[in-house]
Amino acid sequence: MAGEWQRGEHAQPLSQDLDDRMDGTVIVCESGSDIQPVQAEELGVYLAPMQVAFDGKDHLDGHFPTSEILDYYRRTKKIAQSGAATPGTYREVFQRIRSDYPNKRILHLCYSAVTTATWNNALIASEGIEGIIHIDTEHVCSAQGAIIRAMVRWLFEHPHAKSPEIIEEAYDLSRRTWFSFVPGDLAYLKAGGRLSNAAYLGASLLRIKPVVDVVDGRLVASEKKRGAMLPVCADLARRRLLTNPTVPESLFFVYSDGFNDLMKKGVEKAVGEAGYEPGPWRATGGVIYCHSGPASFGVGGIRTR
């Protein structure tokens, strides 16, 4: 039986017979989760690298410095294009796990299905491979990474959990996860065709920063803030934490090159005012960098029950 899944909350558990034959669970996720290869090894997670296209080539996300995306834009005024992990990439990962762990179920916690072809490509790749559960996390970037880390901890605490329990926990984590970010350079939105020239000029002159939230897997511009990057980001972090009671250890910050130490300290101060200790700072990979550019900022976590 191939991997069983449907969109959204209708992911199906494995058949009872197959589930009973499985002993333990291995997680697969995409590189767009901002989990680095070294971190994946520590967590026991398998990464499926996504792609970033520039200079006429497809580059594997996580296998080159994001500064190359910035260099490409400065040279060409063109934005690099992010892309899904290919069916071949997923197939290789699934088969490697089957070789390493023939009797473990595979839990694919997928990058938001509405943003890329990850979901469909993983389905194609799982044909004929038993014991795969695919779940759409409906999140991107380090928010997906937060779900992965929380699920790793849960599976460690519940080593004999069956697929219905695993699916329920994964969906609960996904529903409770929140993520907001501020692009660092509107020129990236303009270069990618996501912002008209008039809107770009107006926003630049007025120092307007769009705040983007992940809603049902989609990137949604929820508000516009005027001012310098530091006060905008500090205010965003404070307000989001005041309205989203968050599990302290799940809190995280995302940044790209150019978001400096002074800005980080300003955000951490605002977070302290909201009653939280600062979370880890995670450098975003090439996929989100294509949309946010340098000096971008994000904040997120998992809401308390």
Side-chain angles (χ1 to χ4, degrees):
M1 179 170 52
E4 298 184 8
W5 59 278
Q6 295 179 28
R7 178 72 171 88
E9 295 191 17
H10 303 291
Q12 299 296 312
L14 303 177
S15 67
Q16 173 106 28
D17 174 65
L18 181 57
D19 209 23
D20 288 344
R21 286 190 276 123
M22 294 290 159
D23 181 24
T25 305
V26 177
I27 292 176
V28 174
C29 65
E30 291 74 24
S31 61
S33 63
D34 290 342
I35 293 177
Q36 303 301 317
V38 171
Q39 297 168 346
E41 188 172 346
E42 292 171 351
L43 291 168
V45 168
Y46 283 68
L47 286 178
M50 298 174 75
Q51 300 183 87
V52 180
F54 60 93
D55 272 339
K57 300 177 183 177
D58 288 332
H59 303 260
L60 291 179
D61 182 35
H63 291 252
F64 64 92
T66 54
S67 58
E68 291 187 16
I69 297 175
L70 177 59
D71 292 340
Y72 173 69
Y73 175 71
R74 285 174 172 167
R75 285 188 285 108
T76 66
K77 297 306 177 188
K78 295 179 182 178
I79 192 167
Q81 299 296 309
S82 61
T86 66
T89 294
Y90 284 117
R91 187 79 177 179
E92 180 182 342
V93 172
F94 295 151
Q95 289 179 331
R96 192 187 324 146
I97 295 172
R98 271 291 151 264
S99 175
D100 294 345
Y101 303 103
N103 297 317
K104 290 192 177 186
R105 68 181 64 78
I106 298 171
L107 177 63
H108 174 214
L109 296 174
C110 186
Y111 192 93
S112 174
V114 298
T115 62
T116 74
T118 50
W119 188 251
N120 290 330
N121 289 353
L123 172 63
I124 293 168
S126 63
E127 277 298 319
I129 302 177
E130 289 191 325
I132 303 179
I133 302 170
H134 299 261
I135 291 179
D136 179 9
T137 67
E138 296 191 333
H139 278 284
V140 303
C141 194
S142 290
Q144 182 195 11
I147 296 167
I148 306 302
R149 289 179 168 87
M151 200 67 206
V152 167
R153 287 193 295 271
W154 188 87
L155 286 169
F156 178 78
E157 295 167 356
H158 302 82
H160 304 298
K162 297 296 186 180
S163 62
E165 302 168 89
I166 292 168
I167 290 170
E168 181 180 359
E169 181 65 19
Y171 276 126
D172 179 64
L173 288 170
S174 297
R175 280 191 294 266
R176 292 192 288 122
T177 298
W178 61 275
F179 178 50
S180 302
F181 72 94
V182 181
D185 190 341
L186 291 181
Y188 275 64
L189 295 178
K190 174 178 175 289
R194 297 173 179 85
L195 191 68
S196 70
N197 190 55
Y200 166 69
L201 291 174
S204 297
L205 289 171
L206 296 174
R207 303 175 75 192
I208 290 175
K209 309 285 191 300
V211 174
V212 179
D213 290 300
V214 178
V215 180
D216 296 329
R218 293 177 169 81
L219 306 183
V220 179
S222 58
E223 55 185 300
K224 297 177 182 178
K225 304 296 290 184
R226 183 181 298 180
M229 194 67 172
L230 173 54
V232 166
C233 294
D235 179 65
L236 172 66
R238 183 192 305 108
R239 288 188 296 111
R240 288 295 187 269
L241 283 167
L242 289 174
T243 55
N244 292 282
T246 298
V247 177
E249 60 268 27
S250 74
L251 175 64
F252 64 87
F253 305 126
V254 178
Y255 73 101
S256 60
D257 295 340
F259 198 87
N260 59 42
D261 289 343
L262 179 63
M263 300 167 85
K264 290 180 181 179
K265 289 178 181 178
V267 168
E268 291 176 349
K269 179 181 178 182
V271 166
E273 293 170 356
Y276 288 84
E277 291 293 323
W281 286 89
R282 305 195 188 285
T284 190
V287 172
I288 289 294
Y289 197 103
C290 290
H291 306 287
S292 64
S296 59
F297 167 78
V299 58
I302 300 173
R303 298 181 189 89
T304 56
R305 285 190 171 92

